[in-house]
Amino acid sequence: MDTLSALIDALASGAVEVVDLSQPLSEATPVLRLPPPFANTPGWKMHLISRYDEGGPAWYWNWFEGGEHVGTHFDAPIHWITGRDGDDVSQVPASRLIGPAVVIDKSAEAAENPDYLLTIDDIRAFEAAHGPLPAGGWLLYRTGWDARAHDERLFLNTDERGPHTPGIAVEAARWLAEESPIIGVGVETVGTDAGAAHSFTPPFPCHAFLLGAGKYGLTQLTNLARLPATGSVLIAAPLKIVRGSGSPARVLALGPRR
Ligand code: MN
């Protein structure tokens, strides 16, 4: 039996499950809030065209507005100044939108410390237990933050000193960008960087290093707890927006029945 036939059979039998890693996209979807003097993104907004009425007696449709970086979304290299000569979201090769994924679970640590930062030692410990990070694949970073995504206040977790959400330490971000074989990092939080990353050196190291290396980010994922540590396949489907710096995305994974 060829590989695709085997996959079709596995999908039909449920031996391989499709896991939806995307958050619902609505006007309630939390969005990043930057402090002054920076410009902010609008959230998601739907506008009715017609709904089985005089404007369209047999059809329902809407138009929408919203930022590229709203909800579950894809960061393309040109999103960051370090990647300004890289691909926009329409130029990302389709072959790089499907690849192997591993899940590093630091949800216990993030529950104790909302500013938890994934370290190179954490990644080394994961590799010692599960093997090397996958070439051409994705590191999915589970923190439990998806449980907060229904409520912007809980999700952004901001106090007078700024947002407190888990992320990746500077040296780990540099290593993932420059030395590891992965092509992207996926997180459950509003961005790939920690809430406190505005004060890191460099600021926003995941963005600076990964996008500068021609790699990608995925944010506001959910259901990572349904994936095994290794052996799933991630499918990221951002809109093919010409000159887009990113796009809301449907993100799916193929994983074994659990
Ligand atoms: Mn983004």
Side-chain angles (χ1 to χ4, degrees), residues 68 74 76 88-95 97 236-250:
E68 295 167 328
F74 188 98
D88 70 40
V89 71
S90 75
Q91 294 168 324
V92 174
S95 60
L97 297 176
L239 298 179
K240 200 167 178 175
I241 302 170
V242 175
R243 294 187 298 280
S245 72
S247 167
R250 195 67 180 259

Side-chain angles (χ1 to χ4, degrees), residues 48-53 55-57 59-61:
L48 181 68
I49 303 172
S50 72
R51 186 166 188 156
Y52 330 124
D53 52 25
W59 51 92
Y60 167 51
W61 55 343

Side-chain angles (χ1 to χ4, degrees), residues 45-251:
K45 191 164 169 53
M46 296 262 280
H47 303 269
L48 181 68
I49 303 172
S50 72
R51 186 166 188 156
Y52 330 124
D53 52 25
E54 60 281 3
W59 51 92
Y60 167 51
W61 55 343
N62 303 294
W63 65 279
F64 53 76
E65 59 180 292
E68 295 167 328
H69 299 259
V70 172
T72 298
H73 73 267
F74 188 98
D75 286 349
I78 62 163
H79 178 42
W80 218 251
I81 191 168
T82 49
R84 64 192 304 165
D85 297 322
D87 283 347
D88 70 40
V89 71
S90 75
Q91 294 168 324
V92 174
S95 60
R96 286 165 69 89
L97 297 176
I98 301 185
V102 299
V103 180
I104 297 184
D105 185 351
K106 293 294 168 190
S107 52
E109 289 80 355
E112 286 283 314
N113 172 16
D115 294 306
Y116 187 78
L117 300 178
L118 186 76
T119 65
I120 292 180
D121 284 348
D122 289 335
I123 300 168
R124 296 291 189 208
F126 177 87
E127 290 189 313
H130 299 285
L133 298 185
W138 292 80
L139 168 58
L140 304 179
Y141 177 31
R142 173 158 167 72
T143 55
W145 223 254
D146 58 337
R148 298 169 175 247
H150 63 285
D151 181 317
E152 185 170 279
R153 188 183 61 81
L154 290 173
F155 194 62
L156 301 182
N157 199 36
T158 300
D159 66 15
E160 63 283 353
R161 292 171 299 141
H164 297 278
T165 61
I168 298 177
V170 172
E171 284 311 311
R174 188 198 312 273
W175 184 84
L176 289 168
E178 297 176 0
E179 297 186 51
S180 88
I182 63 161
I183 63 168
V185 166
V187 301
E188 296 171 334
T189 43
V190 75
T192 53
D193 271 299
H198 55 84
S199 62
F200 293 179
T201 306
F204 307 106
C206 274
H207 287 82
F209 291 129
L210 282 148
L211 302 179
K215 296 183 177 184
Y216 316 116
L218 284 171
T219 71
Q220 264 163 282
L221 301 176
T222 188
N223 288 327
L224 298 184
R226 291 179 54 194
L227 300 181
T230 65
S232 61
V233 176
L234 181 132
I235 304 164
L239 298 179
K240 200 167 178 175
I241 302 170
V242 175
R243 294 187 298 280
S245 72
S247 167
R250 195 67 180 259
V251 183

